[in-house]
Amino acid sequence: MCRCHATAATILLAVFTVVSGCTANADTEPPGGSGPTESATDGREATDDAPTEDRPPEVPPLHPAIDGLDEAIVRITTTEGDRVEVAAKVAASDADRRRGLMEVTDLPEGTGMLFVFDEERTSGFWMWNTLVELDIAFATAEGEIVAVETMVPCTSSRADCPVTAPEEPYVTALEAPGGSLAGAGVTAGARLTWSEPVPAG
């Protein structure tokens, strides 16, 4: 749902993934999706409380346009100490971030999309051409989640679709099925890391 949009104009579940969270720069028109490039902060760095065992992500086919993207396990530690894991497609180029989860008709529990940007940003995500409800968590370069929101599909024209953005700057964003992050107790203050992305399949 290339919901990523520019300002003017992206439990314990076994594994989750980001609405086609498209994010666009605040000074550009909504591209219909947005994605990150290199991470300003390497969220892949391990933390003291991160699980030591790694396993391949298990993201089922979602849409031909994104099925070939690299995958990673996103790990969240809630403020209560609970663990949430999401198997996510990694949107690591501008084109992939712009597309996000657009046109995905089914996002299984435990899957999602991770958007990684090369610098802090405050622009938001929109749900234009995104067909499934999504939860989105925004995180800083240090891995602290600053906001968690739920986004619903937008059937209006692009110009009329609302934008969801946190009040604080972020470097990464995770989209997962609507209600899954909030339902797992993921709130501001939780910590987010991810495994080294690996090729799909």
Side-chain angles (χ1 to χ4, degrees), residues 121-124 138 140 146-149 164-170:
R121 58 200 296 112
T122 56
S123 58
F138 299 94
T140 67
V146 296
V148 179
E149 304 287 348
T164 299
E167 295 182 357
E168 300 179 49
Y170 65 96

Side-chain angles (χ1 to χ4, degrees), residues 172-184:
T172 58
L174 173 68
E175 290 181 324
S180 61
L181 297 181

